[in-house]
Amino acid sequence: MSYFVQKVTKSEHKRCNRFLNMVEYYSKTIIKRKLDKLMSKIVVVGANHAGTFSINTILDNYGDQNEVVVFDQNSNISFLGCGMALWIGNQISGSDGLFYANKEGLESKGAKVYMNSPVESIDFDGKTVTALVDGKEHVESYDKLILATGSQPILPPIDGAEIKEGSRTFEATLENLQFVKLFQNAQEVIDKLNDKSQDIKRVAVVGAGYIGVELAEAFQRHGKEVILIDVVDTCLAGYYDRDFTDRMAKNMEYHGIQLAFGETVKAVEGETKVERIVTDKNAYDVDMVVLAVGFRPNTALGAGKLETFRNGAYLVNKKQETSVKDVYAVGDCATVYDNALDDVNYIALASNAVRSGIVGGHNVGGGDVESNGVQGSNGISIYGLNMVSTGLTEEKAKRFGFNPAVVESTDLQKAAFMEDENDDVTIKIVYDKDTRKVLGAQMVSRMDISMGIHMFSLAIQEHVTIDKLALTDLFFLPHFNKPYNYITMAALTAEK
């Protein structure tokens, strides 16, 4: 034979196995240590819309790479506040459908969630969060931090309007003075309206923005006399130009809502409960006052450490990164990039919160995603009158230094021979005379025009000109629109 076969002894075989086992053990140990080093501990403060979407984005896409710990001071998460007025106005049967996530669902994906656990402070240098958990101080370290602390109701300087000290649910010191932010706030209002011993007949709503207008309708639908008060001499100021807001004001008056525009609230009076509301011009006897004057970013935890916008919101870039490394901010506590302005802005909308949560979740989890920016697209439907807008109004465009021009058109939604369910649509397009770029759009109709505003939102995002918009390929079918629909016709009338 040209080669030899060497027999392996039993002892050599054992030594060989021991060596292989040792190699396997150390290989697994090294791999585990490397994985542990790659694993990040992510703490999320706040678990409503932006927080919830950040958490789900991390767990769904990078769950095996990260440990996620969540703190929220509330007892529930994901409450859709936009349904609050529908609930109060008996337009939906109850609140069950106003939640889309819960603690159990997040924990089933691997997160550790602490509810009813307010964060008291954050050590950004030491990377620790201190919270109250079951009434005891709890310190949690983090590698990366997401701030999703949202916003808080604005409390104007009104005599008699105070929040109970230490209240985290915005409970007022005067009975039947109500704030509207949380599920608990809506539940309390509904309980009082349904309590015959309360005998609530007349309600004053302070603030004629989106929430105030929706609540005015809701209380009227609930059979109450309603007075809507605002310091501005119109409603929905900032979202629409005056000709549009006047139309909504007339719509509310037609349905019996008393409008007290151009009045500043000075006091809410009553011995133990609300009896009247006093403005600089009048006094109104009421049984309930609802303050809906707007919201401010809730950013106390980062005070003095994180850079902020002029209104106190955390300044973030398009990846939701704050001025401190490994700290991200999402939702109503943070700024957005406004494509209409080509600059940073603050626009508190649930849709913006959701998108920022997704972007922040990806970047914290291990991805690399940038926001497309926003246009502030929004809509409202009151007694069947539908209004939608995006971008800048003519008034805002002037204020921000643009040279705006406006084209406006009113036409039927569908072909004229379509006799059923065919109503007028009024559209206003705002564009810049110098660059020809579309800056904003507003639409109003009794028809469902909601999808049309999305095209304008994209046009602003992509810096489309009014001339290009006029020749955009839009389909025609009599059931839906006209051959030259109101969008095309309005754009075609723009001055050259």
Side-chain angles (χ1 to χ4, degrees):
M1 297 179 70
S2 60
Y3 61 90
F4 296 94
V5 177
Q6 183 178 355
K7 290 185 178 180
V8 180
T9 66
K10 287 184 178 181
S11 61
E12 289 174 329
H13 187 268
K14 286 181 180 180
R15 283 198 300 272
C16 183
N17 280 340
R18 282 199 299 270
F19 174 76
L20 291 174
N21 289 336
M22 184 175 65
V23 169
E24 182 180 10
Y25 170 78
Y26 281 110
S27 296
K28 287 181 178 179
T29 301
I30 292 169
I31 291 171
K32 184 178 184 302
R33 285 177 179 172
K34 286 186 176 181
L35 286 174
D36 287 343
K37 193 172 182 180
L38 290 172
M39 287 279 286
S40 287
K41 185 178 183 181
I42 301 169
V43 169
V44 182
V45 181
N48 209 36
H49 304 308
T52 295
F53 274 84
S54 287
I55 296 161
N56 278 322
T57 299
I58 296 167
L59 296 175
D60 291 344
N61 297 279
Y62 316 98
D64 58 342
Q65 303 171 33
N66 298 285
E67 176 188 357
V68 179
V69 181
V70 183
F71 295 94
D72 195 284
Q73 67 180 18
N74 204 351
S75 59
N76 57 76
I77 60 175
S78 79
F79 175 59
L80 291 164
C82 55
M84 186 183 299
L86 297 173
W87 183 20
I88 292 172
N90 295 319
Q91 291 175 273
I92 58 176
S93 59
S95 62
D96 290 348
L98 299 180
F99 297 90
Y100 57 85
N102 54 42
K103 172 185 177 180
E104 292 73 24
L106 297 179
E107 290 195 326
S108 70
K109 292 184 176 184
K112 174 60 180 175
V113 182
Y114 295 97
M115 300 300 295
N116 296 302
S117 302
V119 170
E120 300 283 279
S121 63
I122 299 173
D123 181 348
F124 293 97
D125 297 318
K127 286 193 168 185
T128 60
V129 168
T130 301
L132 285 179
V133 177
D134 298 326
K136 298 177 182 179
E137 187 177 279
H138 175 99
V139 179
E140 192 81 41
S141 64
Y142 67 84
D143 296 308
K144 296 180 181 180
L145 176 67
I146 298 178
L147 296 172
T149 47
S151 57
Q152 294 179 319
I154 293 173
L155 177 57
I158 299 172
D159 289 344
E162 298 177 4
I163 296 176
K164 289 183 178 179
E165 187 175 353
S167 173
R168 298 186 184 276
T169 57
F170 314 110
E171 186 180 359
T173 55
L174 187 63
E175 187 178 350
N176 293 342
L177 174 61
Q178 308 293 146
F179 293 88
V180 284
K181 173 66 174 175
L182 308 175
F183 165 76
Q184 295 93 316
N185 303 142
Q187 183 67 70
E188 183 181 15
V189 168
I190 288 172
D191 290 344
K192 289 181 177 181
L193 293 177
N194 294 332
D195 184 353
K196 292 183 179 180
S197 68
Q198 288 274 353
D199 195 27
I200 294 174
K201 295 178 180 177
R202 199 156 195 243
V203 179
V205 178
V206 181
Y210 268 132
I211 295 174
V213 169
E214 290 174 340
L215 287 172
E217 178 197 28
F219 286 117
Q220 192 278 331
R221 285 181 179 273
H222 206 99
K224 309 303 176 184
E225 294 179 44
V226 181
I227 178 169
L228 180 61
I229 306 172
D230 200 291
V231 65
V232 181
D233 62 354
T234 187
C235 60
L236 306 177
Y239 299 101
Y240 302 92
D241 286 312
R242 188 58 183 259
D243 50 342
F244 276 61
T245 63
D246 283 349
R247 186 164 172 179
M248 180 58 76
K250 290 177 182 178
N251 179 45
M252 289 188 288
E253 283 187 313
Y254 176 80
H255 287 89
I257 295 173
Q258 181 181 353
L259 304 181
F261 293 161
E263 298 188 24
T264 301
V265 176
K266 294 295 185 180
V268 179
E269 299 178 344
E271 290 296 325
T272 58
K273 61 171 60 176
V274 169
E275 296 177 14
R276 73 190 61 82
I277 187 168
V278 181
T279 75
D280 58 345
K281 297 177 181 177
N282 293 290
Y284 305 95
D285 292 333
V286 294
D287 305 304
M288 177 181 282
V289 171
V290 180
L291 294 180
V293 296
F295 299 94
R296 60 178 176 82
N298 180 18
T299 54
L301 288 172
K305 189 64 177 180
L306 304 183
E307 290 184 16
T308 56
F309 192 51
R310 57 177 175 264
N311 71 335
Y314 297 128
L315 272 172
V316 296
N317 60 18
K318 288 188 175 183
K319 293 186 177 183
Q320 304 302 136
E321 295 171 317
T322 69
S323 57
V324 173
K325 181 176 171 54
D326 295 328
V327 178
Y328 298 70
V330 297
D332 287 359
C333 68
T335 56
V336 295
Y337 191 84
D338 188 335
N339 288 315
L341 299 179
D342 267 334
D343 202 356
V344 173
N345 201 359
Y346 181 75
I347 305 175
L349 290 169
S351 52
N352 291 346
V354 166
R355 284 191 295 274
S356 69
I358 293 171
V359 171
H362 276 295
N363 290 316
V364 173
D368 186 10
V369 177
E370 280 199 353
S371 166
N372 290 331
V374 305
Q375 291 69 249
S377 304
N378 60 87
I380 192 168
S381 180
I382 303 295
Y383 299 114
L385 182 64
N386 307 312
M387 292 172 61
V388 292
S389 75
T390 189
L392 303 178
T393 62
E394 182 182 11
E395 182 183 342
K396 274 188 176 180
K398 291 177 181 176
R399 194 189 317 153
F400 283 106
F402 291 96
N403 183 18
V406 169
V407 287
E408 191 166 347
S409 174
T410 298
D411 202 354
L412 290 172
Q413 167 85 345
K414 306 174 187 176
F417 56 80
M418 301 296 289
E419 299 175 359
D420 296 331
E421 296 184 359
N422 193 10
D423 207 343
D424 282 343
V425 179
T426 297
I427 182 171
K428 174 183 279 192
I429 306 172
V430 182
Y431 66 97
D432 185 66
K433 289 180 184 178
D434 301 328
T435 64
R436 311 288 292 174
K437 291 178 182 178
V438 175
L439 299 175
Q442 304 158 57
M443 298 164 64
V444 59
S445 180
R446 295 263 169 203
M447 303 294 292
D448 181 359
I449 49 173
S450 57
M451 296 306 292
I453 207 67
H454 297 318
M455 184 183 73
F456 286 99
S457 178
L458 184 61
I460 297 168
Q461 176 182 301
E462 299 303 315
H463 305 295
V464 174
T465 65
I466 188 71
D467 309 298
K468 193 168 186 178
L469 181 67
L471 298 176
T472 297
D473 178 19
L474 302 177
F475 88 99
F476 160 65
L477 191 66
H479 306 72
F480 302 104
N481 57 8
K482 302 180 73 171
Y484 281 111
N485 59 71
Y486 51 87
I487 296 174
T488 301
M489 293 305 295
L492 283 171
T493 60
E495 292 182 9
K496 298 298 182 184

